[in-house]
């Protein structure tokens, strides 16, 4: 795998997911225990073979299939802002805010120099929407037992 997907998901995104697996170029996660829904993250292809301009997030249900899909573009989240500035690439120029899987024998992964901060924040917000944390149960503080008073402890007369 020339995209080095596992390394990208682990090193660049650093997602706080406890249960996940990278299969091929996709990450599958179960962000919430006991939920049937799963999160899938993979690279969003452009019209060119082996070129990607973002991440595709999908919510999967085992019986109903894909429930929701969203694309997080690298350009929108500043993923390659430093790299592209150093290469004098601006929006509209070939190679801006994309990764290419064309050179399998290069020494660095195609996403080298990526800043995953913006993507990580967006993924966490998306996952929080579909996998909200369980509500916390607020138990009232223990009330001290009422001490009987002379008026309440004596029998009433009629």
């Amino acid at each position: 795998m020339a995209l080095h997907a596992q390394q990208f998901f682990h090193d660049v995104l650093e997602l706080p997911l406890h249960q996940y697996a990278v299969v091929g170029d996709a990450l599958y996660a179960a962000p919430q225990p006991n939920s049937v829904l799963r999160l899938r993250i993979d690279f969003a292809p452009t019209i060119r073979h082996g070129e990607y301009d973002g991440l595709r997030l999908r919510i999967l249900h085992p019986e109903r299939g894909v429930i929701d899909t969203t694309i997080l573009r690298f350009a929108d989240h500043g993923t390659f802002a430093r790299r592209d500035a150093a290469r004098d690439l601006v929006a509209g120029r070939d190679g801006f805010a994309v990764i290419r899987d064309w050179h399998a024998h290069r020494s660095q992964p195609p996403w080298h120099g990526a800043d995953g901060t913006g993507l990580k924040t967006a993924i966490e917000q998306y996952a929080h929407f579909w996998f909200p944390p369980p509500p916390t149960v607020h138990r009232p503080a223990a009330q001290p037992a009422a001490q009987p008073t002379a008026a309440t402890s004596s029998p009433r007369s009629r």
Side-chain angles (χ1 to χ4, degrees), residues 21-150:
V22 177
V23 180
D25 288 336
L27 178 141
Y28 293 88
Q32 193 174 61
N34 303 323
S35 174
V36 296
L37 298 179
R38 297 294 180 258
L39 172 64
R40 176 188 166 139
I41 304 172
D42 59 354
F43 294 93
T46 67
I47 61 171
R48 289 182 177 169
H49 174 73
E51 183 178 81
Y52 307 91
D53 65 351
L55 296 178
R56 178 176 42 207
L57 284 64
R58 293 181 178 163
I59 301 298
L60 307 172
H61 186 277
E63 295 171 1
R64 295 188 291 180
V66 177
I67 302 292
D68 189 64
T69 301
T70 192
I71 305 291
L72 302 178
R73 302 277 178 225
F74 295 139
D76 296 339
H77 296 88
T79 308
F80 295 106
R82 283 184 295 183
R83 178 200 73 180
D84 291 347
R87 294 179 181 175
D88 199 27
L89 290 175
V90 294
R93 294 206 42 210
D94 186 38
F96 176 76
V98 298
I99 58 174
R100 292 177 172 155
D101 190 14
W102 296 342
H103 306 290
H105 302 294
R106 69 173 80 183
S107 63
Q108 297 173 331
W111 43 262
H112 178 73
D115 178 2
T117 307
L119 287 173
K120 178 182 176 182
T121 300
I123 292 169
E124 288 173 345
Q125 290 171 346
Y126 183 79
H128 183 75
F129 176 80
W130 285 98
F131 304 96
T136 56
V137 177
H138 294 286
R139 293 190 176 113
Q143 299 292 327
Q147 298 296 324
T149 63

